[in-house]
Amino acid sequence: TMFFLVCFLILGVFIVTVVRGIAQWNKNNNSPRLTVNATVVTKRTNVTHHHHHHNDHGHITTSTTYYVTFQVESGDRMELSVSGHEYGMLVEGDNGKLSFQGTRYLGFERI
């Protein structure tokens, strides 16, 4: 019974994660595309390590997610996930036009 409980728990977490991802994707698609004046406030990365074992051989892979926090004219801040290229091009203190749709980063044009 413990085996089945753990299996159902793992399956439940997987289903909840997929449903949340689809809901966020749908919400972003139904949100308006906005372009506002903004300033790059801070940048951060999140590095995850994955351990893989296969036929008595193990290896580790890593993945990095890049985030940039923008402050808009009203003083509100939003943290958006960006590509590694965009992350490298943005500098704290940059001022420009931020384009986004919901939580989806679309671009930043310096002014």
Side-chain angles (χ1 to χ4, degrees), residues 2-106:
M2 189 64 151
F3 174 76
F4 290 112
L5 288 175
V6 171
C7 287
F8 283 126
L9 179 64
I10 291 171
L11 182 62
V13 168
F14 177 76
I15 290 171
V16 167
T17 301
V18 169
V19 168
R20 283 185 180 172
I22 291 171
Q24 185 64 53
W25 175 81
N26 189 45
K27 182 179 177 187
N28 284 341
N29 285 344
N30 292 319
S31 295
R33 290 178 179 237
L34 300 174
T35 300
V36 297
N37 292 325
T39 302
V40 176
V41 178
T42 189
K43 299 168 28 172
R44 73 176 180 93
T45 60
N46 183 33
V47 180
T48 57
H49 303 278
H50 307 279
H51 300 270
H52 304 279
H53 299 282
H54 182 67
N55 295 338
D56 294 330
H57 290 48
H59 67 278
I60 299 173
T61 58
T62 60
S63 63
T64 305
T65 307
Y66 301 92
Y67 298 95
V68 177
T69 301
F70 297 93
Q71 182 169 322
V72 297
E73 289 180 316
S74 66
D76 292 331
R77 292 184 176 193
M78 62 177 63
E79 182 178 65
L80 301 174
S81 177
V82 301
S83 70
H85 175 74
E86 289 286 328
Y87 181 87
M89 298 298 290
L90 295 170
V91 177
E92 291 180 13
D94 279 351
N95 292 306
K97 300 278 186 182
L98 169 66
S99 297
F100 64 98
Q101 184 178 21
T103 61
R104 185 180 298 146
Y105 172 84
L106 299 176

